[in-house]
Amino acid sequence: MTSSGNAGIDRDEEERELLRDDVPHRPPSAWNRVVGIFVLGSSVLAAALLAIAVAPEATPPLQSRAREVSVGIWEVFYDTQAPSYRSVLAAVAFALLIAAGVAVLERRIANRYRRSYDRIATPLAPRIVMEATRNEFAGPVTITVLIPAHNEEDCIGATIASLESQEPPPHRIVVVADNCTDGTVGIAREAGVEVFETVGNTHKKAGALNQALEQMLPGQGDNDLLMVMDADTVLDAGFLAEAARRMTADRALMAVGGLFYGEDGKGVLGQFQRNEYTRYARELGRRRGRVFVLTGTASIFRPRALRTVAASRGVLIPGHHGEVYDTVALTEDNELTIALKSLGGLMVSPPGCTVVTEVMPSWRALWNQRLRWQRGALENLGAYGMTPQTFRYWSQQLGIAYGSIAVSTYLILILLMLLALDVWIWFPFWVGIGLVFTMERVLTVWKGGWRARILGATLFPEMGYALFLNVVFIKGVLDITLRRQASWKHVTTVGGRVVVVEED
């Protein structure tokens, strides 16, 4: 018997069931068939559209004329000219082919590595973990929470309170105080939780966590879970219970990541970020919880996973041998996610594990945060190279690059038209495309409430926000290309005023 408590389920059958799919809670097999038929149908349709698009054209397209109508005192100029239907078909076909290709490849790669039996290359693969833990009882699940904190006196109290209000609460809370010079340590001790103070750490959050994990990991059993949680994050009710349930039900599961939402406030800029996070959570839901990043806001790990990562660094994956977190990485959570995937680890971000995290209060703070995220992601990909496990991440970066070009070009063309023409001419085709895009903006943030929907409906502000993120992406690429030294910045409060602090 194992700690799972699924006594009614035959273990051999349980393992066979896991190996037949790639997620802990698989959907009915009929769903898989529907997905497969959809992908196949999309590919066939795309091929047909491409064939039509490249076929010889019998007659040249008709040229439309600009027209004028009167709307009250207004004279509206419009032009019905649209791209040729061949161009539209080619664009649709290309998009379908890319989407279907990425989906099929990602699924095949995930299945291959989750079914791997290579104990050297993929020591965390479900098949290997299930066999190693078969007929072993590791004890009831316990959760120890590590909160890395550097001068977090403004928020550490709320973070601890959110943990203690969980049902059930964690068995142990440890604040990892890293070079704190404010009241963080005192507030944590007054709240009755443990405080681990780092010694001589110069590697920021990753270094602080490495010191704490070096002390704690040796005493952890297979079911003694470790959670890493940012000090500016508050857990929603039921987070720990859902994570513990997932880990209990599936002993091959190596990590559970949280879905994060933005805190209230910070005006329109805060709403931009909340919309972005809502869309990210929606995207993960469409992926049935398959993890893209084990976010640093809140993620739970099995000790076996962290010990294997530490033992594999410098051998199978980048980093210093014996360290869980790669201290060179700017985004340690993204790097650890790729490390676990590279070792075959099974992870999930279930909809019941949600957290509320802070949003950046100014454009400058947002710029610094996103530049670190973007550059860190690119550097991590560079460190791992093109592997089957990083294929999806490379695809995402290519998509961001394409988006940067497309959005910038679109806005530049609009500006050129404004400067080149005496009057504004409406193009019904492009107005229709804009309406479809606006509907997409609204529907994808529907769960965010009426403020989110209103902002989504005002298309151009959101396009401006997207353009801002694209510029950050380009800046990150340029910094890496020019080998500029990255710096670490964080937001804090000084005298009641929010400021961005830069560190060496």
Side-chain angles (χ1 to χ4, degrees), residues 231-495:
D232 54 11
T233 298
V234 175
L235 297 185
D236 285 337
F239 185 108
L240 294 186
E242 174 64 11
R245 187 185 71 80
R246 293 276 180 157
M247 286 291 201
T248 299
D250 186 352
R251 64 181 190 276
L253 190 60
M254 289 292 105
V256 172
L259 293 176
F260 53 92
Y261 294 89
E263 63 181 351
D264 293 333
K266 308 294 191 298
V268 176
L269 180 58
Q271 191 61 56
F272 277 131
Q273 295 170 75
R274 285 190 288 278
N275 281 12
E276 181 186 5
Y277 295 161
T278 300
R279 291 191 178 100
Y280 176 75
R282 184 176 182 275
E283 177 62 22
L284 279 187
R286 293 174 60 189
R287 290 166 53 85
R288 291 176 292 147
R290 281 178 292 185
V291 169
F292 199 73
V293 175
L294 287 169
T295 171
T297 52
S299 293
I300 292 181
F301 303 92
R302 212 177 282 279
R304 170 190 293 269
L306 299 183
R307 282 195 286 262
T308 304
V309 168
S312 302
R313 291 212 181 274
V315 182
L316 299 175
I317 55 178
H320 297 291
H321 188 70
E323 293 183 344
V324 174
Y325 285 92
D326 185 1
T327 55
V328 177
L330 275 176
T331 49
E332 70 288 334
D333 51 358
N334 172 268
E335 197 280 337
L336 183 58
T337 307
I338 298 176
L340 288 168
K341 284 192 174 185
S342 298
L343 298 173
L346 185 64
M347 298 169 280
V348 66
S349 287
C353 293
T354 57
V355 302
V356 177
T357 190
E358 74 171 345
V359 295
M360 293 297 102
S362 66
W363 289 102
R364 182 191 174 198
L366 182 65
W367 172 273
N368 293 327
Q369 180 197 54
R370 298 310 171 90
L371 184 58
R372 185 171 70 85
W373 287 4
Q374 190 59 62
R375 179 166 175 175
L378 288 169
E379 289 181 351
N380 290 338
L381 289 179
Y384 280 81
M386 177 63 85
T387 68
Q389 294 91 343
T390 61
F391 167 77
R392 184 66 173 78
Y393 296 91
W394 281 106
S395 300
Q396 184 202 36
Q397 295 301 321
L398 289 175
I400 294 174
Y402 169 76
S404 302
I405 296 171
V407 173
S408 303
T409 304
Y410 176 73
L411 295 177
I412 289 173
L413 288 175
I414 288 180
L415 179 62
L416 287 175
M417 191 181 80
L418 285 174
L419 297 175
L421 300 177
D422 295 331
V423 294
W424 178 272
I425 299 176
W426 293 92
F427 293 85
F429 175 82
W430 293 111
V431 171
I433 294 293
L435 289 176
V436 171
F437 189 59
T438 301
M439 289 178 59
E440 186 272 340
R441 294 284 86 186
V442 174
L443 293 177
T444 52
V445 297
W446 195 260
K447 290 185 177 179
W450 64 270
R451 289 189 178 88
R453 298 166 199 164
I454 290 176
L455 187 59
T458 55
L459 180 60
F460 283 96
E462 284 230 332
M463 289 191 67
Y465 182 74
L467 182 62
F468 172 84
L469 297 181
N470 290 335
V471 173
V472 173
F473 171 80
I474 294 171
K475 177 69 163 55
V477 173
L478 288 176
D479 285 349
I480 293 175
T481 304
L482 300 175
R483 297 185 178 182
R484 290 172 178 159
Q485 184 67 36
S487 60
W488 182 285
K489 302 179 180 68
H490 72 278
V491 177
T492 188
T493 303
V494 177

